Amino acid sequence: MSMDRNTDIHFILNGEPTECTCPPDMRVIDLLREEMGLTGTKEGCGTGECGACTILVDGEPRLSCLMVAAQLHGRRIETVEGIEHSAEGRTLVDAFVEHGAVQCGFCTPAMEMTALALLRSRKPMDREAIRKVLSGNLCRCTGYVKIVDAVERAAKDASP
């Protein structure tokens, strides 16, 4: 079945009520990057293997290359552009900078979004738990050590 008609989609994007009209089967990554100018979300593989396109949907990490725009309707969406809207997000960004957890930067937005969901979960975490949560996000540059250091530090700083 072909979806030839555009659909009105209403959602919260980085804390702001948002409305757009687009084909309901448009990929979310294309909507964010091409229609909304939010280029922090990256496309690495387009098949859900690399994690570079991770955003938060209702607080949970989701691969935007595997979602269609119609799935956003009525949901709360967070991208890396909105990460500093929360105390946990600011703490995380500061920890990434402090620990040099960025090399080329391509994977950083997705790593930060995945880590943000982890911090908000308030689950106890050690380095192995952090590695497990981040395992869906591939990085070709860092070797992950500094990224895990940054998330571990942010978790300690965000703890009550």
Side-chain angles (χ1 to χ4, degrees):
M1 178 167 106
S2 174
M3 294 186 183
D4 296 332
R5 296 176 33 188
N6 286 340
T7 301
D8 291 331
I9 301 170
H10 303 268
F11 53 98
I12 304 296
L13 178 62
N14 294 327
E16 297 294 323
T18 303
E19 178 181 339
C20 67
T21 302
C22 65
D25 60 345
M26 173 182 253
R27 295 182 319 156
V28 170
I29 190 165
D30 297 328
L31 176 69
L32 293 172
R33 290 181 59 81
E34 296 170 19
E35 302 299 320
M36 301 188 145
L38 299 175
T39 58
T41 303
K42 308 297 186 211
E43 181 168 11
C45 67
T47 61
E49 296 293 324
C50 73
C53 66
T54 301
I55 60 172
L56 300 184
V57 178
D58 295 331
E60 295 296 322
R62 296 288 179 254
L63 301 173
S64 62
C65 75
L66 298 181
M67 294 182 69
V68 295
Q71 292 176 287
L72 298 182
H73 190 74
R75 314 288 289 277
R76 186 173 43 90
I77 311 306
E78 294 175 86
T79 67
V80 73
E81 287 84 358
I83 196 167
E84 291 191 354
H85 291 165
S86 69
E88 299 101 333
R90 286 188 300 278
T91 298
L92 192 58
V93 169
D94 290 346
F96 265 67
V97 171
E98 177 185 331
H99 286 276
V102 177
Q103 283 189 15
C104 82
F106 192 83
C107 72
T108 304
M111 290 285 187
E112 289 179 338
M113 296 311 293
T114 302
L116 181 59
L118 177 62
L119 292 182
R120 288 179 177 165
S121 75
R122 305 280 190 234
K123 293 178 183 173
M125 64 185 92
D126 57 14
R127 293 182 69 79
E128 188 56 36
I130 294 168
R131 281 189 197 95
K132 184 176 181 181
V133 169
L134 295 178
S135 67
N137 297 83
L138 302 181
C139 175
R140 294 176 62 161
C141 302
T142 67
Y144 301 94
V145 173
K146 291 181 179 185
I147 294 170
V148 173
D149 291 345
V151 176
E152 183 177 46
R153 172 61 184 265
K156 287 178 185 171
D157 289 352
S159 296

